[in-house]
Amino acid sequence: MSISGIPNSFGQPGVYVNLTINDATSSSGQFNVLIIGQAAAGSNYATNPALYPVTSLSQLATDFGTSSDVYKIASAYTNIDNTTPLYALNCIAGTTTQTTSNGTIETINSVLSTTTSSSDMASSSVAGSGGSGSGATFAVTSSTNDDKTAFTPASVSIVSGGNGYKVGDKITIANVGTITVLSLDSETVTVPESDLNVLTTALANVGNVETDIILGTYNSASAIQAIATHFESTWGYLLETYGQYFTVEIENDQSVLIANGANFNSVYASALAIPTELDEYLSLGNFVAQVSNRTQNNPALPLRDFALNSGTVSIANRLNVSAQQTLFDNGYCTVSCDSAGNPTVSRTRIGATVDSSTGLTLNDPSLETRFQSVYVAKAFKSALAPYISSPYIIMSDDDVVAPSPYLVTPSKIRSACIAAYSILVNELVCTDLATFKDNLTVSIDPDVIGRVNVVMTAYLSSGLAQITINLATTK
């Protein structure tokens, strides 16, 4: 079954994808939210990577610690949405060992000048010029003529290797010659794991729980990559999950925000740009809880105009309409403020700004399209799943057969699709039932035994965004 407008693991909303309903199809249909972060050191969950169902804030405080980002976000989230199942995932920030060059010269190749000088170049500690580092000194020897009035460089050796040098650096000692760095000292150092490694390891522990929304403050490009990979490999319409990651980028400098916007260029990510005066955990928790509530109420409702209640913004850091538009065009959900500086999420979007396959600007970056599309897929799966869960025999519409409880025909499945779409129209999620009927085709697959092909286009309704008035007045 192909449905237009469902963005599975493709580069943009508004594409055709396949939804297969078979005997392996199973799902709870439950909307779930996952908070990712780090448990506080010394808390019960400090070293526990298992998925954690949040049963109460007091228990979460004990297990993750009140100083943890998970607890702070959950506190804000549950203040608004305390009915949606909430999970926590401890992204344990480990370390790894790497062999890195510390830039200390270990071996050199010297090309000495044959020019003689009236001054003796010999020295036990002479510096050169050039190269990437500093601090290297060398011992220089020289040879002389019989009356010691002319000196010629004879050899150069390392006294101090300095630091910051690179292999291939050329260092010149006046009147002596050129030294080329052949090798550097190296050391094994312990460095933090990348966000990619941390999140890849952590998200594997989600298991079979279908997470519709993930939120957290991991916002590096590698973090977004790990989350996108997770969604692409585990999220889909068979699992009936939405698959969206929400995070925040806290910064007052618009140019920095624009530069960092490239980190969020993903259909699976949505980044909220907030000024530094706002609490990032409170802002994120409040924002996503309202997205969750409104989406579950009706996925076609506009996902905007959410009061953050996470502080006030000074006049200097309140963005005007033009600045908000610039940030929105660069992939951010944006914040506006009233005259007192109270912040409101004014617009939302997916982080992707271009179609990954064509490089063209996305014509539909809305969050609503993603949420509506999955809702539509759920509706059709629910409507047609009974034909799989019970035994049926496919017969052509042209066959004349006696009535049987085991009989199913393309026209019967077509009627089920129309009935399901009619409900979607009544729920205000879809529109244009007549056109849907005209474009709906149901047929028995001639090549795959036991398969019925359904091809349809679902026309998603749009939330009201603006009203344009062309007003003329006369006297």
Side-chain angles (χ1 to χ4, degrees), residues 112-121 142-145 148-154 174-176:
L112 303 183
S113 170
T114 57
T115 304
T116 59
S117 172
S118 58
S119 300
D120 190 356
M121 307 89 152
S142 63
S143 60
T144 65
N145 58 8
K148 297 187 178 182
T149 58
F151 303 88
T152 303
N175 299 321
V176 174

Side-chain angles (χ1 to χ4, degrees), residues 94-323:
T95 58
T96 184
T97 56
Q98 295 180 354
T99 300
T100 62
S101 168
N102 62 17
T104 299
I105 301 173
E106 194 167 62
T107 62
I108 59 172
N109 177 37
S110 58
V111 179
L112 303 183
S113 170
T114 57
T115 304
T116 59
S117 172
S118 58
S119 300
D120 190 356
M121 307 89 152
S123 172
S124 61
S125 182
V126 59
S129 61
S132 305
S134 62
T137 58
F138 307 90
V140 179
T141 64
S142 63
S143 60
T144 65
N145 58 8
D146 292 339
D147 58 4
K148 297 187 178 182
T149 58
F151 303 88
T152 303
S155 68
V156 176
S157 60
I158 302 169
V159 174
S160 171
N163 58 75
Y165 291 97
K166 297 179 180 178
V167 172
D169 274 350
K170 295 187 181 301
I171 303 170
T172 300
I173 301 177
N175 299 321
V176 174
T178 302
I179 299 163
T180 302
V181 178
L182 295 182
S183 67
L184 302 168
D185 187 17
S186 62
E187 59 184 350
T188 301
V189 296
T190 301
V191 297
E193 281 189 286
S194 69
D195 287 346
L196 180 64
N197 292 340
V198 171
L199 289 176
T200 298
T201 300
L203 290 169
N205 296 320
V206 173
N208 294 325
V209 175
E210 303 162 8
T211 54
D212 300 89
I213 288 177
I214 298 178
L215 68 157
T217 54
Y218 284 94
N219 54 21
S220 67
S222 60
I224 302 302
Q225 179 186 342
I227 291 165
T229 300
H230 169 73
F231 281 137
E232 288 173 0
S233 61
T234 63
W235 170 74
Y237 297 96
L238 295 181
L239 296 179
E240 297 183 348
T241 52
Y242 291 105
Q244 193 70 13
Y245 176 63
F246 290 88
T247 188
V248 292
E249 178 76 345
I250 184 164
E251 174 63 52
N252 292 329
D253 190 326
Q254 182 178 330
S255 62
V256 174
L257 284 170
I258 291 173
N260 292 345
N263 291 344
F264 311 110
N265 193 33
S266 167
V267 297
Y268 302 105
S270 291
L272 176 65
I274 61 174
T276 56
E277 291 130 316
L278 301 183
D279 183 292
E280 62 178 327
Y281 306 118
L282 188 57
S283 298
L284 182 61
N286 285 347
F287 169 42
V288 180
Q290 293 177 87
V291 169
S292 174
N293 273 346
R294 192 172 294 182
T295 296
Q296 292 180 81
N297 186 25
N298 188 309
L301 285 170
L303 294 173
R304 62 175 187 270
D305 303 322
F306 298 125
L308 283 183
N309 298 318
S310 57
T312 56
V313 181
S314 62
I315 293 176
N317 292 323
R318 297 175 198 169
L319 298 179
N320 58 32
V321 173
S322 176

Side-chain angles (χ1 to χ4, degrees), residues 2-25:
S2 297
I3 303 176
S4 175
I6 297 184
N8 194 355
S9 56
F10 294 82
Q12 69 170 37
V15 296
Y16 284 90
V17 299
N18 292 322
L19 170 64
T20 301
I21 303 170
N22 56 31
D23 57 359
T25 300

Side-chain angles (χ1 to χ4, degrees), residues 307-359:
L308 283 183
N309 298 318
S310 57
T312 56
V313 181
S314 62
I315 293 176
N317 292 323
R318 297 175 198 169
L319 298 179
N320 58 32
V321 173
S322 176
Q324 290 181 51
Q325 183 64 50
T326 299
L327 291 183
F328 184 81
D329 291 341
N330 279 273
Y332 286 104
C333 305
T334 57
V335 170
S336 62
C337 298
D338 62 16
S339 58
N342 297 307
T344 296
V345 178
S346 52
R347 300 177 73 182
T348 63
R349 61 169 296 158
I350 60 175
T353 57
V354 296
D355 181 342
S356 59
S357 61
T358 65

